[in-house]
Amino acid sequence: MKVKLLYFARLREVFQRSGEDVILPEAVADVSALLAWLRARGGTWSAELAPGRAFRVAVDQEMADPRTALHEDAEVAIFPPVTGG
Amino acid sequence: MKVKLLYFARLREVFQRSGEDVILPEAVADVSALLAWLRARGGTWSAELAPGRAFRVAVDQEMADPRTALHEDAEVAIFPPVTGG
Amino acid sequence: MSVRVQTGDFDVGAEIARLRQANPRIGAVASFVGVVRDLNEGRSVAVMELECYPGMTERSIEKIVAEAKSRWDIFDALVVHRIGTLRPADQIVLVVVTSAHRGDAFAACEFLMDYLKTRAPFWKKEHLPEGTRWVDARSSDDAAAARWGS
Amino acid sequence: MSVRVQTGDFDVGAEIARLRQANPRIGAVASFVGVVRDLNEGRSVAVMELECYPGMTERSIEKIVAEAKSRWDIFDALVVHRIGTLRPADQIVLVVVTSAHRGDAFAACEFLMDYLKTRAPFWKKEHLPEGTRWVDARSSDDAAAARWGS
């Protein structure tokens, strides 16, 4: 399944990218599985996305939780807690 | 005792004057006595300033009550309840 | 602090800019503009007249501003209130409050407006199709002022 | 309803005038301007950068405005939020709410500001003398949003 990943603010800087198009294995069907898949990259990925770290996930521009399902061409954004204007 | 009387809004129109300089008898020393003295004029004065009618009195630009004392050259204003902007 | 009662109109943007000027600690500017509506209590209003008590009106507003400053952590407040003949869509009153944080700015601004509508010496006369009438004090405004526990 | 996220500055007076235009039933205009302070949590701030999530940021604010309209009796609301590089005294955010009466205008304006500061996707980076830092979410803002019981 192809999804678009977006990163904002501190996570954009730490991951050194604002986004990427990734092809997910069939087993990666929800946000929880996607995070595990990203953590498997190791390094900053496993550190920043570890359980207990403060980050948020949106799917198709709606706030998501670990059980939110993914779909072909989903836009998945990962970002720190918002800090307002 | 000489005092300056001011009337505002509806009372200015009913009394057909915006103010007047009056010489009060010696016995008229507070707001309550002043109102009785004005009511003694009869007509609209006794009607508009009757107990129970809605009006306010300020002495020297401070809200007053019946017991507020008058003094030489006091500025006494009588007006309807305020209605804001 | 600045309190003005005037017949002329005011420029909201210019007034806010002037109040903010030269205070880099301001983080929040709450403001309110009151406008003449074409309806009041269901009646069509063409023209209204606002009367004040020159001197006492300004002094009473200055006292209200001082009270707001003692109750909330605000830098400054501006009140501009018009008197004279006003028509629907005309601006009547402007309140601007500056603070470091929005909570104090909002609270002080609303507090000042509640007092202006209920306690400050202004009287309003409406020109209706069938003639003119002095507006009566409104109990809903009294209730708004009562919230502040004075 | 109007929601804009932009790098450029805004003109408070002109925005208020545009929102008021052609609605003679408006009696109350509450507005709020957020400004970059030269101090944040006691630290001197020279420059800050604001980042948004293009698309989601606008949509989330539009939803907040729709919620404000369902909660309070208001005519219209405008939100203008800047992103990019901002310096002390720069305007960051403008919220304007029009209503027949002041209570609804104030409440909706403060509600919108609380949500903008806590829920809308914006991230702030400060340039301090010793380097840059991403600002952490503040618990006082969370408390302000929690008041609205959502």
Side-chain angles (χ1 to χ4, degrees):
Chain A
M1 176 161 59
K2 182 162 76 68
V3 303
K4 176 184 283 294
L5 299 181
L6 299 174
Y7 310 106
F8 291 99
R10 200 179 60 76
L11 292 180
R12 174 176 49 73
E13 292 185 348
V14 171
F15 295 150
Q16 298 183 299
R17 68 198 74 183
S18 60
E20 57 186 317
D21 294 318
V22 297
I23 310 295
L24 299 176
E26 213 161 300
V28 179
D30 65 13
V31 167
S32 176
L34 171 67
L35 293 172
W37 183 79
L38 287 168
R39 274 183 219 114
R41 289 174 172 181
T44 54
W45 299 90
S46 58
E48 293 292 342
L49 303 179
R53 292 300 301 267
F55 61 87
R56 303 282 183 270
V57 179
V59 174
D60 296 333
Q61 304 190 356
E62 299 279 351
M63 295 308 295
D65 63 43
R67 276 155 303 281
T68 302
L70 304 180
H71 61 85
E72 184 71 20
D73 290 324
E75 177 177 298
V76 182
I78 307 177
F79 44 76
V82 304
T83 48
Chain B
M1 178 160 59
K2 182 163 78 69
V3 304
K4 176 183 282 293
L5 300 181
L6 299 175
Y7 310 106
F8 291 99
R10 199 179 61 75
L11 291 179
R12 175 176 48 73
E13 292 185 348
V14 170
F15 295 150
Q16 299 182 301
R17 69 197 75 182
S18 59
E20 56 186 317
D21 295 318
V22 295
I23 311 294
L24 299 175
E26 215 163 301
V28 179
D30 64 13
V31 168
S32 176
L34 171 67
L35 292 171
W37 183 80
L38 287 169
R39 275 183 218 113
R41 291 175 170 180
T44 53
W45 299 90
S46 59
E48 294 291 341
L49 302 178
R53 291 300 300 266
F55 62 88
R56 304 281 182 272
V57 179
V59 174
D60 295 334
Q61 305 191 356
E62 299 279 351
M63 296 306 296
D65 63 43
R67 274 154 304 279
T68 302
L70 304 181
H71 60 87
E72 185 72 19
D73 291 324
E75 177 178 299
V76 182
I78 307 177
F79 43 77
V82 304
T83 47
Chain C
M1 184 205 306
S2 183
V3 171
R4 284 159 29 213
V5 177
Q6 61 189 41
T7 54
D9 201 7
F10 50 81
D11 178 332
V12 180
E15 298 292 352
I16 290 176
R18 193 173 308 136
L19 201 68
R20 284 190 45 201
Q21 211 173 338
N23 185 346
R25 292 180 302 152
I26 291 172
V29 184
S31 59
F32 182 87
V33 179
V35 174
V36 183
R37 292 185 297 144
D38 64 353
L39 285 178
N40 192 19
E41 291 164 16
R43 312 294 298 275
S44 171
V45 176
V47 174
M48 59 176 260
E49 286 167 51
L50 265 180
E51 181 171 333
C52 78
Y53 178 171
M56 182 174 174
T57 300
E58 290 87 343
R59 283 180 54 186
S60 76
I61 299 173
E62 281 161 11
K63 274 187 232 162
I64 289 164
V65 171
E67 189 178 334
K69 284 189 173 184
S70 73
R71 287 192 185 207
W72 289 282
D73 187 10
I74 64 177
F75 291 125
D76 212 347
L78 166 73
V79 175
V80 183
H81 206 299
R82 294 179 69 188
I83 52 171
T85 302
L86 297 169
R87 290 177 171 74
D90 280 354
Q91 301 183 120
I92 306 169
V93 60
L94 170 68
V95 174
V96 185
V97 175
T98 58
S99 176
H101 302 290
R102 68 187 183 285
D104 290 290
F106 272 119
C109 189
E110 190 163 11
F111 169 81
L112 290 173
M113 273 309 304
D114 282 351
Y115 268 76
L116 285 169
K117 295 287 278 188
T118 54
R119 307 283 184 91
F122 289 103
W123 299 273
K124 194 176 351 189
K125 189 183 198 176
E126 291 177 344
H127 294 232
L128 300 165
E130 69 273 25
T132 65
R133 64 165 183 188
W134 287 97
V135 176
D136 285 332
R138 280 170 45 193
S139 52
S140 68
D141 280 326
D142 285 339
R147 279 191 304 143
W148 306 102
S150 63
Chain D
M1 186 203 310
S2 183
V3 172
R4 283 157 30 210
V5 177
Q6 62 188 41
T7 54
D9 200 7
F10 50 81
D11 177 333
V12 180
E15 297 293 353
I16 290 175
R18 194 173 306 136
L19 201 67
R20 284 190 47 200
Q21 209 173 340
N23 185 345
R25 291 180 303 152
I26 291 172
V29 183
S31 59
F32 182 88
V33 179
V35 174
V36 182
R37 291 183 299 145
D38 65 351
L39 285 178
N40 191 18
E41 290 163 18
R43 313 294 297 277
S44 171
V45 175
V47 174
M48 59 175 260
E49 286 166 51
L50 264 180
E51 182 173 332
C52 77
Y53 179 170
M56 183 175 173
T57 301
E58 290 86 342
R59 282 180 53 186
S60 77
I61 300 172
E62 282 163 9
K63 274 188 232 162
I64 289 164
V65 171
E67 189 177 335
K69 286 190 171 184
S70 75
R71 286 191 185 207
W72 289 282
D73 187 10
I74 63 176
F75 291 126
D76 211 347
L78 166 73
V79 175
V80 183
H81 206 299
R82 293 179 70 186
I83 53 170
T85 302
L86 296 169
R87 290 177 172 73
D90 280 354
Q91 303 184 119
I92 307 170
V93 59
L94 169 68
V95 173
V96 185
V97 175
T98 58
S99 175
H101 302 291
R102 68 188 182 284
D104 290 291
F106 272 119
C109 189
E110 189 162 13
F111 168 82
L112 290 173
M113 273 309 304
D114 282 351
Y115 269 77
L116 285 169
K117 296 287 276 187
T118 52
R119 307 286 185 88
F122 289 104
W123 299 274
K124 193 174 352 190
K125 190 184 199 175
E126 291 177 344
H127 294 232
L128 301 165
E130 69 273 25
T132 64
R133 67 165 182 187
W134 287 98
V135 175
D136 285 331
R138 279 172 44 197
S139 52
S140 68
D141 279 328
D142 285 340
R147 280 192 302 143
W148 305 103
S150 64

